[in-house]
Amino acid sequence: VEQKEGMWDGVRNHTAAINLRTMKVGDEAFFYHSNIGLEIVGIMTISEEHFIDPTDEKARFVAVKVKPVRKIANPVTLKAIKANPKLAEMELIRQSRLSVAPVRPVEWKEILKMAGDGRCDASPYYARYPNMKRIGRTSKPTMRGYWGTAQSLSTGPGQTR
């Protein structure tokens, strides 16, 4: 959060990269710790649309820039998501190895409800894609532990925080 903006880079799965390419400025994404805690802990917004990932030596994959929006009231664990029948079709569960996946509006609201977050309102993303939001996952905590990405959140090439 102190950095104000980070880069969602290091995504090397083609399906996840397609999801990054579809993101527009103002879209929102959950931040999910995929190794530490296995939980959704915050919300971020896309601040710059896709560009060539500076960590990709072959320049085949993309990155986006993100800004933290807020922590969610209470982290929502993968175990709780799996136990909720309203989230049974969620891509996070169906394609668990996918680092960037869509989240439907009903799923977005349910997760915020589970988090005890009263701010379940629609975001600018709904105007363009009424059926989807995005979820980001990370293999390590970054930006002071609660904002991150599929591989890292950095302030520039090789400067992971």
Side-chain angles (χ1 to χ4, degrees):
V1 174
E2 291 177 11
Q3 302 301 322
K4 306 291 185 213
E5 185 174 55
M7 185 168 46
W8 193 336
D9 59 4
V11 174
R12 298 297 184 262
N13 174 286
H14 289 283
T15 302
I18 289 169
N19 288 328
L20 280 179
R21 283 185 181 96
T22 65
M23 292 179 173
K24 302 294 180 198
V25 171
D27 288 353
E28 291 181 329
F30 283 124
F31 174 64
Y32 173 81
H33 282 295
S34 61
N35 283 346
I36 300 169
L38 299 176
E39 57 193 9
I40 294 172
V41 296
I43 298 173
M44 56 190 167
T45 187
I46 308 308
S47 58
E48 185 178 327
E49 293 179 22
H50 72 278
F51 51 90
I52 297 298
D53 185 338
T55 67
D56 180 12
E57 295 176 7
K58 296 182 181 180
R60 292 184 295 179
F61 292 93
V62 299
V64 297
K65 288 199 174 175
V66 297
K67 290 183 178 180
V69 174
R70 68 178 189 268
K71 288 183 182 182
I72 58 173
N74 300 296
V76 179
T77 66
L78 178 61
K79 186 175 181 178
I81 291 169
K82 286 181 174 182
N84 187 327
K86 293 180 182 177
L87 301 175
E89 294 300 313
M90 191 171 180
E91 292 299 317
L92 173 64
I93 295 170
R94 294 180 58 239
Q95 295 184 328
S96 62
R97 305 268 309 149
L98 195 58
S99 61
V100 183
V103 176
R104 292 170 189 87
V106 67
E107 296 164 344
W108 184 270
K109 288 182 179 184
E110 185 64 21
I111 288 168
L112 291 180
K113 183 178 169 185
M114 292 169 69
D117 194 319
R119 297 178 276 183
C120 300
D121 55 332
S123 74
Y125 194 84
Y126 287 125
R128 284 191 313 284
Y129 306 103
N131 295 322
M132 297 288 174
K133 280 193 168 259
R134 303 277 162 205
I135 187 164
R137 296 169 46 168
T138 187
S139 58
K140 59 184 178 182
T142 54
M143 280 185 85
R144 306 299 182 259
Y146 68 93
W147 293 114
T149 64
Q151 295 298 321
S152 64
L153 194 57
S154 58
T155 56
Q159 298 178 3
T160 302
R161 303 260 179 209

